[in-house]
Amino acid sequence: MEFEHFTEYRISLNNKKEVENIKAFLALHGLQLDSDVEYTVGVFDGERLVATGSICGKVLKCIAVDKEYQGLGIANKLVSHLIHEEYQRGNTHLFIFTKPENYTMFYELGFHKIAEVPNSVMLMENHPAGIKNFIEEIKKQNKSGQKISAVIMNCNPFTLGHLYLIEKAARESDILHIFVVWEERSSFPAEVRYRLIEEGTKHLSNIVLHKGKDYIISSATFPTYFIKEYQRVVEIHASLDLEIFRSYIAPALGITKRFIGEEPYCPVTRTYNRIMKEYLPQKGIEVVEIPRLHRGENAISASLVRRYIREGDVDKTQRFVPKTTYEFLTSVEAEPIIEMIQRDDHRH
């Protein structure tokens, strides 16, 4: 596609030379090329790369325009190209994680601010009422009570450790809202994870289950391309996710307490928990950390369950998951998921 005297074309992510060219260009702008990009476009003035942008899922990312070429409408055409590509893929509700100083540029391109971590990151979406509609949706499940709490879980898959945390939180609450992380980056699909939680908690009458959709940001979808230090990536991701929770979700449902599981192993989750303990009490939300449930020497975790599945020992998972999860794992429906987990393990 040509506009004015510039040429715009798709970069082959399998072409090492083209990818290195994009990486070098982004590095000049203090950015990196995220490893999960699915589509990248370059804008050229003759042989010279003057702009680039990428997409992954519903997220536009790794966007940069050469300083000499700014103000020529290239950013507009670049983002329009990426939006068109997203629409072709069936994605119409789109997001951008960007530096706060880029707010005006993306606002003029039709994106609206959801939340920001000052001087670090801003999350924007192309729907002016996206977050508002999500909040209106979850408010339909609002229930009154004195002690209203929340837990946010991925449950990949749902284990006795998750159940233990939910049961303890439910005992200490009048109403417990459970939000399921929704993006499809886990071994178990979102709808399956949701169903296993639903089936495994039917004996609890004071819980409300929600699909996290686009506003519970997981570390899998949070981009790293504009943050150099990995530890800082984790901290900023946690801060942004918690800003959305404390500014939108908690007030909508009257949540005053959030339960989390103790994390002795994963440094990412441990950092997230630490920041949560700093961040949520600022808005009057208490954070309660529950110690891990053990079976013998093993702390129960979804990663342990997946390890047994990878090793072909599905029977061993029975000690670590509710009956409903084990019934699923041994069903015909689970066979493709189990095969995929084992195949990915052999590939690595």
Side-chain angles (χ1 to χ4, degrees), residues 99-294:
K99 295 176 181 178
E101 58 261 34
N102 294 331
Y103 167 76
T104 302
M105 178 178 77
F106 287 116
Y107 178 75
E108 289 173 353
L109 294 172
F111 284 81
H112 304 267
K113 174 183 166 182
I114 299 171
E116 75 172 294
V117 178
N119 305 313
S120 298
V121 65
M122 180 181 290
L123 174 60
M124 305 180 75
E125 63 182 336
N126 70 334
H127 195 307
I131 184 74
K132 183 172 176 286
N133 291 344
F134 173 72
I135 295 304
E136 289 304 315
E137 197 62 35
I138 65 172
K139 279 169 81 171
K140 290 177 185 174
Q141 294 178 277
N142 207 346
K143 293 188 178 180
S144 58
Q146 291 296 311
K147 299 176 184 174
I148 301 179
S149 307
V151 294
I152 294 179
M153 293 180 155
N154 193 38
C155 298
N156 185 35
F158 187 54
T159 69
L160 287 172
H162 296 121
L163 180 59
Y164 172 73
L165 174 59
I166 288 171
E167 287 178 334
K168 185 162 179 55
R171 280 197 304 272
E172 296 182 21
S173 311
D174 295 325
I175 303 296
L176 176 65
H177 292 277
I178 303 169
F179 290 87
V180 184
V181 175
W182 207 251
E183 93 290 331
E184 297 293 2
R185 300 294 187 92
S186 300
S187 303
F188 291 80
E191 289 289 354
V192 169
R193 291 185 283 110
Y194 181 91
R195 194 174 83 224
L196 292 179
I197 299 169
E198 188 176 42
E199 290 172 353
T201 57
K202 278 186 176 168
H203 58 293
L204 300 171
S205 60
N206 65 331
I207 67 169
V208 182
L209 201 54
H210 302 272
K211 297 176 179 180
K213 295 300 181 182
D214 298 305
Y215 301 101
I216 305 290
I217 309 165
S218 97
S219 57
T221 52
F222 185 76
T224 61
Y225 64 89
F226 51 81
I227 310 163
K228 288 193 172 127
E229 302 84 13
Y230 178 69
Q231 180 66 18
R232 191 75 184 120
V233 169
V234 175
E235 291 171 355
I236 293 172
H237 156 244
S239 300
L240 185 66
D241 188 44
L242 292 165
E243 179 60 36
I244 294 171
F245 179 81
R246 74 179 190 175
S247 297
Y248 295 100
I249 296 169
L253 298 171
I255 294 165
T256 56
K257 190 178 288 191
R258 181 157 159 183
F259 288 85
I260 56 175
E262 177 193 30
E263 185 44 74
Y265 306 119
C266 176
V268 172
T269 307
R270 202 160 54 242
T271 298
Y272 191 100
N273 286 355
R274 173 178 60 78
I275 291 174
M276 196 183 308
K277 290 171 191 171
E278 298 168 7
Y279 226 75
L280 296 189
Q282 294 171 6
K283 292 286 183 82
I285 302 165
E286 182 186 355
V287 178
V288 181
E289 190 168 33
I290 307 298
R292 280 283 185 117
L293 184 65
H294 284 71

